[in-house]
Amino acid sequence: MARFMSRLWCKVESTGRYLPIVLNALLVFSITAEVSYLVLMEAPLESAEKKTEWCTIWKAMHLFAQYFMLGNITWNASLFVKTNPSIRGVFLGGDALGHGWRYCYNCETHTPPRCSHCYDCNVCVLRRDHHCVFFGQCVGFHNYRYFLTCLLFMWAGLLYAVVMNAEVFIVILKEGVTFHSVMLLLVPWIMLVSGQVTARAFAFAFIADTCVVGFLLVAAFLFFHVVLMLRGQTTREWYSTRQPYSLGLLANVREYLGKNWYICWLCPLIPSPLPGDGINFKVTGSLEPKK
């Protein structure tokens, strides 16, 4: 019985790791579907404009922009998950270990500077930043570009969804701000359960709220990691107030995004080789935390 429960728990635990990825995918595709519906069926607001040739061009441009962002999000997320950021399969060097090398008792090997052990992945990760719960993968030296680009297009996509859902707010403001309309935007679930709104109105309000909250959260996260990239830091180094590996603004961006940093964010297919190897880093400041 104990063995059966242990196997069952292992299966539940392994399946649970993919739950955030599934929820993220459902959220992204549901928002995309809702915005597509707004573009194709609801917009533009004036009925007379829906029959013009410009309306068709307008819709085509919006759909192209929307699915371009969706394609970049899914492609970068896929490459982020598939790219191995760990020390597995990496030759870490010979016997001459420089300053900053440490011994990892879990991996039973010496690890280079800025490398740390992830207990979720159960392996050391080169220039480890953090473990991304939403993708079940660590953010490290080799996959940081895909992580940051995915964040960028998620932010842009949510901003686009917020702008398109602004039609709901415009209609509400035209009819006047009432207690009913405010409650619909603040607590759509309660309004639906109590029978105060239709399922269609609830769907628009719920997705609009989700887009606004998601946009603010992703914007804050994106801003934080852009600042880290410009400063040449990882999250761990930021917490310890250390900045010993900063090479200057443009050089830091090149270290994180590669040699083609100025264009590689447009498409994950654009090659942008990283200038380093994730093992050796040029030290430009003190390795001790600032007091």
Side-chain angles (χ1 to χ4, degrees), residues 27-40:
L27 180 62
V28 169
F29 283 103
S30 62
I31 292 176
T32 302
E34 189 261 354
V35 175
S36 297
Y37 174 81
L38 287 178
V39 171
L40 292 172

Side-chain angles (χ1 to χ4, degrees), residues 15 24-26 35 44 58 95 116 131 150 154 170 237 241-242 279:
T15 305
N24 269 322
L26 287 175
V35 175
W58 182 90
D95 298 329
S116 60
H131 183 84
C150 185
M154 284 180 68
I170 292 173
E237 292 164 356
T241 67
R242 291 184 300 156
I279 300 174

